[in-house]
Amino acid sequence: MRGLQAEGGAPVAGPAAAPAAAKRRTRLVAVLVALAAVVYVIDVITKTVVLRALEGKAPLVVIPDVLQFRVIFNSGAAFSLGTGMTIVFTFIAAAVVVAIIRTARKLLSLPWAIALGLLLGGAFGNLTDRLLRYPSGFGRSTQFQGHVVDFVEVLPGHFPVIDYFPVFNVADSSIVCGGILAVLLAWRGYQIDGSREGK
């Protein structure tokens, strides 16, 4: 059968193809996990430092009228959107984490590993706040409703109609960058399994 396929021009995968793909998948999953861990650690550290230094205090101006650090507690989604839907965003973040973990089983693309790593690290960062920060927390009746710490404010005072916009954190930035990269990859036809549509 292998001889007939080869004569007919059909590609025949060698016996080493499956182990090689598995080895590549393992390396790419390691990249995904490492990137997610870096994003998560930076997010937790920056939130902790900012809370200790600025909670209850005046904003720290980095570049006048362009960038400042100001602590707010966000019950909504990224960039303080959708406040009042905390529990919904908690389950969305959890679903994103599960979906990325399941998708990693097909991962054979480095750009997709980077995109998913950014998304996973950001989702974990904000999900930690949802589960552990006030008013959520162990033993409280408001489970899954913790407020996310946002502190990076660009162009302060230039959006009077929208309260606290845009104010974000490292996790939000990671989610947005990962999402943009994923959209670009999908638009260009790059697949998670390393193939490309039309090629």
Side-chain angles (χ1 to χ4, degrees):
M1 177 61 77
R2 292 175 60 85
L4 290 174
Q5 288 179 329
E7 289 174 8
V12 179
K23 189 178 294 185
R24 176 170 173 77
R25 183 179 299 109
T26 300
R27 289 197 300 267
L28 291 173
V29 169
V31 170
L32 186 160
V33 171
L35 180 56
V38 168
V39 169
Y40 180 77
V41 169
I42 293 174
D43 182 63
V44 171
I45 290 174
T46 53
K47 287 173 179 175
T48 302
V49 170
V50 166
L51 283 174
R52 290 181 178 177
L54 293 178
E55 186 176 8
K57 298 180 182 179
L60 173 63
V61 177
V62 180
I63 303 174
D65 295 324
V66 176
L67 174 66
Q68 68 181 21
F69 295 155
R70 173 165 66 108
V71 173
I72 69 166
F73 294 92
N74 174 19
S75 61
F79 302 101
S80 304
L81 301 175
T83 56
M85 300 178 63
T86 310
I87 196 165
V88 174
F89 292 121
T90 301
F91 285 106
I92 290 174
V96 168
V97 169
V98 172
I100 291 173
I101 292 172
R102 288 176 59 88
T103 301
R105 295 180 299 179
K106 302 176 182 178
L107 186 61
L108 286 173
S109 165
L110 179 58
W112 272 107
I114 294 171
L116 294 177
L118 290 170
L119 289 168
L120 184 61
F124 258 127
N126 283 341
L127 183 59
T128 299
D129 284 0
R130 302 286 186 202
L131 296 176
L132 301 180
R133 292 197 190 277
Y134 182 85
S136 188
F138 298 111
R140 294 197 176 118
S141 59
T142 49
Q143 295 296 322
F144 313 116
Q145 299 182 54
H147 294 177
V148 173
V149 176
D150 288 336
F151 60 91
V152 182
E153 184 175 19
V154 297
L155 302 176
H158 292 269
F159 297 93
V161 177
I162 308 174
D163 238 2
Y164 301 135
F165 183 83
V167 184
F168 54 95
N169 56 41
V170 172
D172 294 337
S173 301
S174 181
I175 290 169
V176 170
C177 291
I180 292 172
L181 179 55
V183 169
L184 289 174
L185 290 171
W187 176 58
R188 295 296 303 274
Y190 290 99
Q191 306 297 305
I192 290 175
D193 64 2
S195 63
R196 187 177 180 185
E197 287 184 354
K199 298 292 182 181

